[in-house]
Amino acid sequence: MDSPDYATLTVCFDDPFWVGILETCRDGVLYVGRHTFGAEPTNPQLLSFCLDELAHLEVLKTELTAGSSPRGMGFKRSLREAKKLQATLGSTSRADAAYKQAFEREMAKRQSERAFHKRSTAALAFEARQEKKKERRRGH
């Protein structure tokens, strides 16, 4: 997997659980993942999650493109810009909306696959019943 341009993990309370929302930008495309912690995670638990499980978190590609920051920006200025952006937009709302949109698209795809599988198995079962009828009619 390519290394991300940037990644942001936001932990928030989504009643009744604590949830971590991961925003990752690769080549200008925004990917979003979600992990449910359950009880409020402590700092050591968050560190353990980031080191061990974050790389294995399933991320979904969104249709949003991530805004890139200018390359020559200093560290303190980038911190001020990030704080201002988070205050105006709220990082979780954009990431959460992107995750929900990608999740709904994924569920629609899975639902169509399940419907296709159900129709194909029903057709096979029908053919098996017809063959069994023919066998009985022949007396075998």
Side-chain angles (χ1 to χ4, degrees), residues 25-133:
C25 174
R26 290 189 202 104
D27 301 324
V29 179
L30 187 67
Y31 295 87
V32 181
R34 182 181 170 119
H35 176 77
T36 305
F37 288 106
E40 182 176 5
T42 61
N43 286 340
Q45 288 174 337
L46 286 174
L47 182 62
S48 162
F49 172 75
C50 289
L51 294 175
D52 300 333
E53 301 172 32
L54 192 63
H56 305 293
L57 186 65
E58 181 181 345
V59 292
L60 300 172
K61 182 179 179 180
T62 64
E63 295 179 3
L64 298 175
T65 56
S68 60
S69 61
R71 280 303 241 175
M73 190 181 292
F75 177 71
K76 288 183 180 180
R77 184 178 187 101
S78 65
L79 283 177
R80 280 195 304 269
E81 292 292 324
K83 187 182 275 189
K84 187 188 304 182
L85 180 67
Q86 190 172 12
T88 58
L89 291 177
S91 63
T92 58
S93 62
R94 179 178 178 201
D96 207 22
Y99 180 79
K100 286 179 182 176
Q101 182 183 24
F103 183 75
E104 287 171 1
R105 208 172 42 248
E106 184 73 21
M107 286 297 110
K109 185 176 88 172
R110 287 182 185 177
Q111 185 179 13
S112 66
E113 288 173 359
R114 279 195 308 266
F116 175 75
H117 179 71
K118 187 176 180 180
R119 283 192 306 268
S120 64
T121 54
L124 288 175
F126 178 75
E127 289 175 13
R129 283 195 312 271
Q130 295 299 79
E131 191 64 34
K132 197 172 184 180
K133 275 185 189 178

Side-chain angles (χ1 to χ4, degrees), residues 8-23:
T8 305
L9 177 67
T10 306
V11 178
C12 59
F13 184 70
D14 188 13
D15 197 25
F17 302 111
W18 284 86
V19 175
I21 299 173
L22 175 69
E23 295 176 67

